Amino acid sequence: MRRLRKVKIVATLGPSSSTPEMVAKLFHAGADVFRINMSHTSHERLRELVGTIRWIEKRVGRPIGILVDLQGPKLRLGRFAEGAVMLEKGQEFTLDADPTPGDKMRVHLPHPEILEALEPGHHLLLDDGKVRLVAKSSTPTETVTEVLVGGRMSDRKGVSLPDTLIKTSAMTEKDHADLDAALDVGCEWIALSFVQRPEDIIEARDIIDGRAHIMTKIEKPQAMNRLSEIIALSDAVMVARGDLGVEMPLEKVPGLQKQMTRACRRAGKPVIVATQMLESMITQPMPTRAETSDVATAVFEGADAIMLSAESAAGSYPTEAVAMMDSIARSVESDPYYRSIIDAQRAEPEATGADAISAAARQIAETLDLSAIICWTFGGTTGRRAARERSKTPIIALTPNLDTSRRLTLTWGVHSILTTDAYDLDDMVDRACDFAKESGYAMGGDRVIVSAGVPLRTPGATNMLRIAFIKTEGKGADIARR
């Protein structure tokens, strides 16, 4: 099944979209990757959903990616004696290590790592930023704050710390168990939540040990301070605008989204824009004009993927939300200004053979108006480098590696096909032509360009380009015009 757009769509599964019939509908509506949120999913349910996706994958004959999103640490207040209090602007309010139920003057903070890390001047945001505090003094057992923005506060509300670097791991005991479960069922992508520093990614990578790729969610100001290091260590990045918009001024989020998107494009790492993209479609069959523009902006920026959360997981119109996102993306990519914007932001090739070959393939394909760029890849590097060029020529990635074919479903513009390995260069070119023809990217007499690594089956050794004519009759390349 060929998608008529470059950008990919990630759809979150949930109560509204858990049956095999609904998951199949979401795929046919345009979903390329399915996200499973471990904040709301048991290990048994995870296995069921993965089984459903794999069953659909076999039926449609196309690889489908699975993204397992770890919950990360959830920082919450303790309980109040009366269930709730009203905090007034300007008053003092203490957070402490005493487990006694709180009142209007104090409450238990059951996270000693926060009390140890807080310093005077640090801000604390309660209940998604509805109530805001600033620390006046702090010890390892209590922090005295001043209320900057008052409001009602009740049991177990969330705590965000935009100024504080917590020295504990970004992975909780639950995350470790969820990660083991995700690896056991063979998921391709693991999303790490509330990453603050590169060490958080290194810890996860040591556990994963190459069994999945890591997607780092950027939702903390501390992560933005070390963005280049985090991108270098990640396999992909998610612009998680929800929590990022709580811990940073909302007006800064659009600029940060562009900064992250362009940094990932330069690095050749997939970047996903997420959170509230079509939020009104949770309850309405059509999005607002502003939401439509928000999705379009991410596509114009050249993001690899755009994501639906509650819209597809718990909304009343999950299929319509995916179809709408698909329609917006296709409309943007056919806009006369789209190509000039994408080209203006193209990164210069890095000083590697793989980058030079990928840049040359794009230039040749566009100069000669070829029908497709076809990459033979084992680990996916060749496909991702081709996507980094953001070519207007369609990209087909052929791989004998099932995991690679699924992981590439998240990469911009790449049509991923699982096939057996080629046994020599002629076989590689012939089969590339056949797949281009069978997938509808080319017809007999068209020309394509094929890139690969020689010797064969050498990961990361992309060093060969060949232009081939597709036979007008029969299979393979036209030997006389190769």
Side-chain angles (χ1 to χ4, degrees), residues 5 9 11 25-27 29-31 278 281 308 312 317-327:
R5 53 176 159 75
I9 293 176
K25 286 182 180 179
L26 295 183
F27 174 81
L278 295 177
M281 290 194 74
L308 295 166
S312 60
Y317 304 94
T319 307
E320 291 84 352
V322 173
M324 177 56 67
M325 192 166 263
D326 175 79
S327 178

Side-chain angles (χ1 to χ4, degrees), residues 158-174:
V159 181
S160 298
L161 304 160
D163 306 320
T164 308
L165 180 63
I166 303 174
K167 295 182 180 179
T168 56
S169 168
M171 291 183 61
T172 64
E173 289 184 13
K174 170 178 166 55

Side-chain angles (χ1 to χ4, degrees), residues 351-382:
T352 66
D355 256 42
I357 289 290
S358 297
R362 175 191 60 79
Q363 293 168 355
I364 293 168
E366 293 180 357
T367 300
L368 300 180
D369 195 23
L370 305 184
S371 296
I373 297 170
I374 307 172
C375 310
W376 281 89
T377 181
F378 185 82
T381 301
T382 305

Side-chain angles (χ1 to χ4, degrees), residues 174-211:
K174 170 178 166 55
D175 293 329
H176 280 277
D178 292 345
L179 175 56
D180 288 340
L183 295 174
D184 285 343
V185 294
C187 297
E188 295 78 48
W189 288 96
I190 303 294
L192 302 182
S193 297
F194 301 109
V195 167
Q196 298 183 91
R197 54 198 173 179
E199 291 80 2
D200 295 333
I201 304 168
I202 294 171
E203 177 190 1
R205 193 170 293 284
D206 287 342
I207 298 169
I208 293 170
D209 193 25
R211 291 175 287 173

Side-chain angles (χ1 to χ4, degrees), residues 304-361:
D304 287 79
I306 44 183
M307 193 178 97
L308 295 166
S309 298
E311 301 96 329
S312 60
S316 300
Y317 304 94
T319 307
E320 291 84 352
V322 173
M324 177 56 67
M325 192 166 263
D326 175 79
S327 178
I328 296 169
R330 287 189 287 110
S331 178
V332 169
E333 291 178 0
S334 64
D335 187 279
Y337 289 102
Y338 172 75
R339 180 42 55 182
S340 62
I341 294 172
I342 291 294
D343 290 346
Q345 298 172 17
R346 180 179 293 118
E348 290 296 317
E350 295 180 1
T352 66
D355 256 42
I357 289 290
S358 297

Side-chain angles (χ1 to χ4, degrees), residues 359-408:
R362 175 191 60 79
Q363 293 168 355
I364 293 168
E366 293 180 357
T367 300
L368 300 180
D369 195 23
L370 305 184
S371 296
I373 297 170
I374 307 172
C375 310
W376 281 89
T377 181
F378 185 82
T381 301
T382 305
R384 288 190 295 273
R385 301 320 275 182
R388 182 179 183 266
E389 289 294 310
R390 295 298 191 263
S391 172
K392 67 180 181 181
T393 306
I395 302 168
I396 302 173
L398 304 178
T399 179
N401 188 327
L402 178 58
D403 288 340
T404 296
S405 70
R406 290 168 173 167
R407 289 169 185 168
L408 286 172

Side-chain angles (χ1 to χ4, degrees), residues 214-346:
I214 293 175
M215 179 183 296
T216 301
K217 296 168 65 178
I218 306 296
E219 46 198 338
K220 301 281 291 182
Q222 294 86 346
M224 288 300 306
N225 295 334
R226 302 183 70 177
L227 182 63
S228 60
E229 298 170 78
I230 286 173
I231 291 175
L233 289 168
S234 305
D235 297 304
V237 167
M238 181 189 295
V239 185
R241 303 179 303 176
D243 284 288
L244 191 63
V246 170
E247 300 208 10
M248 300 190 75
L250 282 173
E251 63 272 16
K252 291 185 176 295
V253 174
L256 295 175
Q257 176 179 318
K258 288 182 180 292
Q259 179 183 337
M260 285 184 268
T261 301
R262 295 184 183 189
C264 288
R265 283 189 56 186
R266 286 194 299 272
K269 302 290 181 74
V271 57
I272 295 84
V273 177
T275 317
Q276 297 180 329
M277 301 207 80
L278 295 177
E279 183 83 354
S280 66
M281 290 194 74
I282 295 172
T283 56
Q284 302 294 328
M286 293 292 289
T288 66
R289 276 63 171 173
E291 289 166 343
T292 302
S293 181
D294 182 38
V295 173
T297 296
V299 180
F300 272 119
E301 278 291 306
D304 287 79
I306 44 183
M307 193 178 97
L308 295 166
S309 298
E311 301 96 329
S312 60
S316 300
Y317 304 94
T319 307
E320 291 84 352
V322 173
M324 177 56 67
M325 192 166 263
D326 175 79
S327 178
I328 296 169
R330 287 189 287 110
S331 178
V332 169
E333 291 178 0
S334 64
D335 187 279
Y337 289 102
Y338 172 75
R339 180 42 55 182
S340 62
I341 294 172
I342 291 294
D343 290 346
Q345 298 172 17
R346 180 179 293 118

